[in-house]
Amino acid sequence: MARRHVSFFKKMLSLEKTPEESNTKMYPWDESPYEDIRTRAALIRSRALCPVTKKSVNFVCPYSGIPTHHDEEAWLNDHDYHENKKYELLKKVNLYEHDLRSGRKFDEFVFPGAQEVDFTPNLSNWDTFLYTRDFSPMNTEFNMAAASKVLTYPVTIASILHKYSPHDAQPKGPVSVEGLRSMSALHYTLYPPFSKGKDSEVTFKERPMRIFIIGAKMEAMLPGYVWKQFGYLFPETKFELHFIGPECYFNPETRTFTSTDQPHGRPLIKRYDDQLTMHYHTHYFHEVYDMGDLFPFDPYLDVFFLFHPGFQTADSVHWDKSLKGLLESKCPIYVTGYHEVDAAREIAWLENHPLHDEMDFLMDQCPNPFGSTKLDLVDSNPTETFQANSDIFAFRGKRYHAIKV
Amino acid sequence: MGFKLPKTHNAYYDPVTFKMTPALYRVRAPFFWRNTIALFGVSLIPLGVYIYTWKKLDTDDFGDIPIPPLSEAEIAELKKEYEEKKKLDA
């Protein structure tokens, strides 16, 4: 017993060096045993441009095994690449991709059941969350990458809505006064004021809470039991998850993102259990909004999440049309970005938008503690890595008309 | 009905050596320094009481305790008895 305590102190004070794990073999992507990785390497070669010479990519970085530069000379001349140790991130991308295909036993996807009433989940970071929810231990970074890649979507939403949210109010944290206002409205629904009878709750909980996920793709593919992990954190509330966007429904038969073929633009509804239902609207948000089926919006019961919307990409036209509806709803809108620069780009688009005067910022941009830890790279620029939901911020339509004094 | 096993997080210990897994080390890391300082502070209280008592008693010569009065003859007899006993033991 005593020896175990000594070894605990030794390890915590990092007196004991843990042996570095390098027993996983690293394959260059061109010679990977998995065909889809070889295809991706070919895709990088055909699409990407060398960051130094701006010519096509034709040189495989020996550290990471990923084609990154035009030739060895360009690779050697890329000081940014070597000084910031970007190759280490790329090496991780390489190892994670191979690990996911390795066919090892994925214990991290054995999910726990309902949270016992006497135990409170701790949502300060991934480790405490997974421990207090009694997930399988994520002993290696590979376990963590695989688990966080799917859990990031439900747990990010939960970490925002939960009463033990890791985001503090200003000036200690990123949440502004307006943010607290929106949050207290939602908390009123999630944690109703104490009453002896159950009757008084009914007066304002006449319908389930709706969570709109706009521009959904990856998150809409998640099966119900992953979303149920979100439900377990709010056992008293019923939820409707609305996935909105042309790529929100993945047809398992044709293996493509298709429209749901529901008549009159109705959503496809999948019921997971009594608590959770999932609605798939395969239209753009402004189309769904104009149809009016979602009315009325209620800031006490509705919240929007935009996971990496890409306001400035080719979808800009649609976001332009959707923004008006989003702001009119007066419900909080949480937006995530792939990395710091990406989230800053989304904010810049909002700030330069003509409707900027109509919005309040609820939450400054800050790193999301429940972002995915799985690194990935951009095919058209292989030296740029990203992580899903890495940064988060929030805005909302102004609650009242501003009066000039 | 109603009986539930306490949450033990058994998966977070190695099944053979029962050592903590790396995941548990990461969970405990943010609490490590505060807990260590608290352990230090709490253990100072009994330790301080013990040292204070030791020091206080060390300086005491028990001069304030009255010794029952004995005559010279009685003292001599007791001394003799004591030395005889000592001789017998040796």
Side-chain angles (χ1 to χ4, degrees), chain B residues 7-58:
Chain B
K7 214 174 192 180
T8 50
H9 300 287
N10 271 338
Y12 281 77
Y13 293 91
D14 189 300
V16 179
T17 60
F18 215 66
K19 274 190 174 178
M20 291 199 290
T21 55
L24 189 52
Y25 276 103
R26 289 203 312 274
V27 174
R28 293 185 67 174
F31 307 99
F32 173 71
W33 278 112
R34 267 183 295 168
N35 282 355
T36 308
I37 290 164
L39 171 70
F40 186 71
V42 168
S43 55
L44 268 186
I45 297 168
L47 208 72
V49 170
Y50 184 80
I51 291 169
Y52 174 80
T53 319
W54 184 277
K55 287 244 164 101
K56 202 75 186 165
L57 291 183
D58 226 24

Side-chain angles (χ1 to χ4, degrees), chain A residues 112-115 133 208-209 223-241 269-280:
Chain A
Q115 181 80 354
R133 281 284 297 128
M209 195 166 170
Y225 67 90
V226 177
W227 286 105
K228 187 63 190 171
Q229 287 302 317
F230 165 77
Y232 283 141
L233 293 167
F234 305 97
E236 302 295 318
T237 319
K238 286 181 180 168
F239 292 99
E240 281 177 12
L241 294 165
I269 300 174
K270 276 190 194 166
R271 190 181 148 90
Y272 178 70
D273 64 0
D274 198 34
Q275 188 189 19
L276 278 182
T277 46
M278 295 184 280
H279 300 234
Y280 299 88

Side-chain angles (χ1 to χ4, degrees), chain A residues 96-343:
Chain A
Y96 288 162
E97 290 295 336
H98 278 100
D99 174 68
L100 281 181
R101 288 162 180 81
S102 66
R104 69 174 166 88
K105 205 172 155 220
F106 284 99
D107 278 334
E108 49 268 51
F109 295 123
V110 181
F111 286 165
Q115 181 80 354
E116 285 167 41
V117 186
D118 289 343
F119 297 94
T120 306
N122 179 340
L123 284 105
S124 40
N125 59 46
W126 272 122
D127 293 317
T128 54
F129 168 77
L130 296 167
Y131 180 74
T132 49
R133 281 284 297 128
D134 219 3
F135 276 81
S136 314
M138 309 296 162
N139 289 329
T140 65
E141 55 176 323
F142 299 112
N143 297 141
M144 196 63 172
S148 67
K149 193 187 174 195
V150 293
L151 284 171
T152 176
Y153 299 100
V155 181
T156 299
I157 299 178
S159 78
I160 293 291
L161 299 181
H162 201 270
K163 59 178 167 181
Y164 300 129
S165 166
H167 304 288
D168 278 326
Q170 280 169 353
K172 259 177 91 182
V175 181
S176 68
V177 177
E178 291 298 325
L180 286 176
R181 213 182 243 180
S182 274
M183 217 62 264
S184 48
L186 292 169
H187 280 182
Y188 195 73
T189 311
L190 289 166
Y191 306 102
F194 178 75
S195 57
K196 274 185 184 163
K198 285 256 171 188
D199 304 338
S200 56
E201 285 179 29
V202 181
T203 50
F204 57 90
K205 254 195 205 177
E206 78 280 9
R207 64 166 170 86
M209 195 166 170
R210 295 188 297 182
I211 294 166
F212 298 98
I213 298 165
I214 303 171
K217 189 174 179 183
M218 166 73 192
E219 53 272 35
M221 286 170 72
L222 297 180
Y225 67 90
V226 177
W227 286 105
K228 187 63 190 171
Q229 287 302 317
F230 165 77
Y232 283 141
L233 293 167
F234 305 97
E236 302 295 318
T237 319
K238 286 181 180 168
F239 292 99
E240 281 177 12
L241 294 165
H242 290 259
F243 301 101
I244 304 171
E247 286 185 315
C248 81
Y249 181 66
F250 185 76
N251 191 331
E253 281 162 22
T254 57
R255 301 195 62 78
T256 46
F257 292 97
T258 53
S259 70
T260 51
D261 301 328
Q262 296 287 308
H264 311 300
R266 287 201 197 104
L268 176 82
I269 300 174
K270 276 190 194 166
R271 190 181 148 90
Y272 178 70
D273 64 0
D274 198 34
Q275 188 189 19
L276 278 182
T277 46
M278 295 184 280
H279 300 234
Y280 299 88
H281 306 257
T282 46
H283 302 277
Y284 285 104
F285 177 71
H286 56 90
E287 292 164 357
V288 181
Y289 187 83
D290 290 342
M291 275 189 265
D293 286 353
L294 298 176
F295 279 97
F297 290 96
D298 183 347
Y300 280 79
L301 287 160
D302 297 321
V303 58
F304 289 92
F305 280 87
L306 278 61
F307 293 117
H308 349 95
F311 287 144
Q312 300 203 32
T313 57
D315 279 338
S316 170
V317 193
H318 298 288
W319 285 120
D320 210 42
K321 287 181 193 163
S322 300
L323 188 64
K324 196 165 163 283
L326 286 173
L327 295 177
E328 268 174 8
S329 75
K330 311 289 184 200
C331 298
I333 301 145
Y334 289 86
V335 186
T336 66
Y338 282 119
H339 45 68
E340 214 180 319
V341 183
D342 185 49

